[in-house]
Structure formats: C-alpha cells, structure tokens
Amino acid sequence: MAKSGVVEAAGRPVFKKAKVPTTHTGLVRQARKINRALAEVYPYAHPELDFTNPFELLVATVLSAQTTDLRVNQTTPALFAKYPTPAAMAAANPEELEEIIRPTGFFRAKAKSLLGLSAALRDRFDGEVPGRLEDLVTLPGVGRKTANVVLGNAFGVPGITVDTHFGRLARRFGWTESDDPVKVEQEVGELIPKSEWTMLSHRVVFHGRRICHSRRPACGACPIAELCPSYGEGEIDPVKAEKLLKYEKGGQPGQRLQPPADYPGAAAEPLNGKG
C-alpha cells in the first residue's frame, strides 16, 4: 500500500511535493519532523574532520575552507605531528607550514591564519582554545561557522553550522529564504530546540553530501522525499537516483581516515596511500 502523498508509477513510488507551511507553528512541526527523520537515516552523523582535541578541530576547520574534509584529513596527520600545540605552530617557519598544508588550497592565506590564531592562543588564552563564541571569533581566520563547529563538537555547546550544504537544504526544506549564513542560523534556530542544533547540523550536512546534492539531487533515492517541499528538483527515477548516491550511501569510503566506531562505511585512504 502506498503511503499518504505517494502514487505508484510503473511499480515505483512517486511522491507529491510537500507544501511549505504558511504558519510558524506549522513550519516548526514540519522542521522537527524532518529533523527526526534525518536522525533515523543518519544515526551515526558526526563531524567529518579527524581531531583529538579542540586545537586540532579548530585548525582542521580553518583548513576546510574551499576544499573537502577528506583532503584536510589527509593533510593534518603530518601537520599535527610537527606542530601539536599552539606554541609549536606559532613558532613554525611560514614556508614549511605552507608546504605541509598546500594540498588544501589557498595555503598562503590559511598559513597566515594558522600562525595568527596559534599566536593568539599562546599569548591571550594560555595556549588553550577558548570555549566561548565571543572569544573564538576574535582569532584570525575564525568566523561564526568555524566557532560553532568547535563549540558544538569540542565543548558540547549547541550551535548551528551554516555551510553551503546546510544553507542549500535549509532553503529547499522551506526553513528560510535567506542566503545570509547568520540569518539562516537565526531562522533555523527558531524552529529546532537548541539541544538539537549541533546534531541537526551534522544530519543536514550528511544528507546534503550524500543525497541532496547541489546540481543533481537524488530525489528518487531520498528516504525523506515525502517530507520535502523541493522533491522533484533532482532525479526522481529510483534506479538512476541510486547511482548518484555518495560516500557510504553509495558504497564508497567516507571522508575521515579515523571514523567513529558506529560509522557504517569504510574509512578514507591516506594521501597518496601513505600512512
């Protein structure tokens, strides 16, 4: 029997596009239903940057701009082996630092940020990463997105991380119409309980990377299609959509070299296959 809002076409389910609620209360209910559905699809959602302490997460997040988490994860083992603390990184030779992080792109600008934030941590915060947003955003190269990543995943402070994936899906779900990350963060935060903000960020980003892609969403393989107001923007044929799935959903390795124990996919390979 087909679900409500589902019709059968050639033996395959074709969903009717969900409507964006016209009231705030309706939007809250729909957003929380989508969050619960994503929690069932991605019970293993996690930050996709490898780290063992707040400093490593901060550095990795700065490096993740304009590149993939996989490339960052392939680069940071050598980086942290040589510069394990803010004091060590602050004293780094700029050219040597640039060479190590070159694979992540924009390496000169990123090296400048890493040197600056490391010196600031050494000089202003006793070599420790602060656990307050207002302090984190004073560090070179650190904005609200990076600060929320660090707070949510290293300190347990709830935060919404608005990257390109999160912003895209928030608009597709009808949670916001804005392209401004700060406004998206504010508007989505009004729909979802604060205690869920960090995990919501992981779930939405996971979904955006694996299924709800930018150019060609895999609508026909989407497990929350019946809840989505943007269903049909991508490939609705289940067979064709299945081929668009990425990472563990597509039977491919994830982005972490050291994924959590409950991750159902394979670990990524080191850079050039070197451990």
Side-chain angles (χ1 to χ4, degrees):
M1 181 180 296
K3 296 180 182 179
S4 177
V6 181
V7 297
E8 294 289 334
R12 296 192 297 263
V14 178
F15 296 94
K16 294 181 181 179
K17 184 182 295 187
K19 295 182 180 179
V20 177
T22 57
T23 66
H24 180 73
T25 299
L27 192 58
V28 167
R29 288 174 178 169
Q30 187 185 67
R32 295 184 180 188
K33 185 180 293 185
I34 290 175
N35 180 43
R36 290 194 296 271
L38 289 174
E40 292 181 4
V41 177
Y42 306 105
Y44 50 85
H46 59 271
E48 293 192 89
L49 291 168
D50 287 326
F51 70 97
T52 63
N53 58 55
F55 176 63
E56 289 185 359
L57 179 58
L58 176 61
V59 169
T61 306
V62 170
L63 290 176
S64 70
Q66 304 299 316
T67 191
T68 64
D69 286 355
L70 170 59
R71 184 49 57 92
V72 174
N73 292 334
Q74 291 172 326
T75 303
T76 50
L79 178 67
F80 296 140
K82 187 161 187 175
Y83 311 115
T85 65
M89 191 169 288
N93 177 285
E95 289 75 21
E96 293 180 0
L97 178 59
E98 289 175 2
E99 190 58 33
I100 293 175
I101 66 172
R102 180 185 289 269
T104 68
F106 302 94
F107 57 92
R108 291 191 177 88
K110 290 179 180 179
K112 183 177 180 180
S113 293
L114 295 186
L115 290 169
L117 72 83
S118 295
L121 292 176
R122 179 196 61 194
D123 299 339
R124 293 197 280 121
F125 297 101
D126 297 322
E128 300 291 334
V129 176
R132 301 194 312 161
L133 185 138
E134 54 265 44
D135 292 329
L136 284 167
V137 296
T138 67
L139 301 174
V142 178
R144 285 187 67 88
K145 183 183 80 170
T146 296
N148 278 329
V149 169
V150 174
L151 290 173
N153 298 288
F155 293 99
V157 178
I160 295 174
T161 303
V162 183
D163 67 357
T164 56
H165 300 289
F166 191 98
R168 178 177 73 253
L169 268 64
R171 289 185 288 275
R172 284 180 175 169
F173 291 154
W175 297 349
T176 183
E177 295 180 352
S178 180
D179 291 316
D180 176 37
V182 175
K183 189 170 184 180
V184 172
E185 180 185 338
Q186 177 184 356
E187 292 183 347
V188 174
E190 293 174 353
L191 304 176
I192 303 294
K194 187 173 183 179
S195 61
E196 284 284 292
W197 285 358
T198 299
M199 287 309 302
L200 171 74
S201 299
H202 293 323
R203 294 164 189 155
V204 171
V205 171
F206 257 58
H207 195 59
R209 285 175 169 169
R210 286 151 178 78
I211 297 176
C212 196
H213 311 136
S214 176
R215 295 184 181 178
R216 198 179 177 193
C219 295
C222 179
I224 66 164
E226 63 182 311
L227 301 175
C228 184
S230 298
Y231 171 76
E233 285 189 11
E235 179 59 63
I236 63 173
D237 181 272
V239 176
K240 294 179 180 179
E242 189 81 17
K243 297 177 181 179
L244 300 175
L245 301 181
K246 296 181 179 179
Y247 303 112
E248 77 283 356
K249 293 296 183 183
Q252 301 144 1
Q255 299 202 83
R256 293 187 67 165
L257 277 64
Q258 301 177 27
D262 62 345
Y263 179 63
E269 291 290 331
L271 192 63
N272 299 323
K274 298 178 180 179

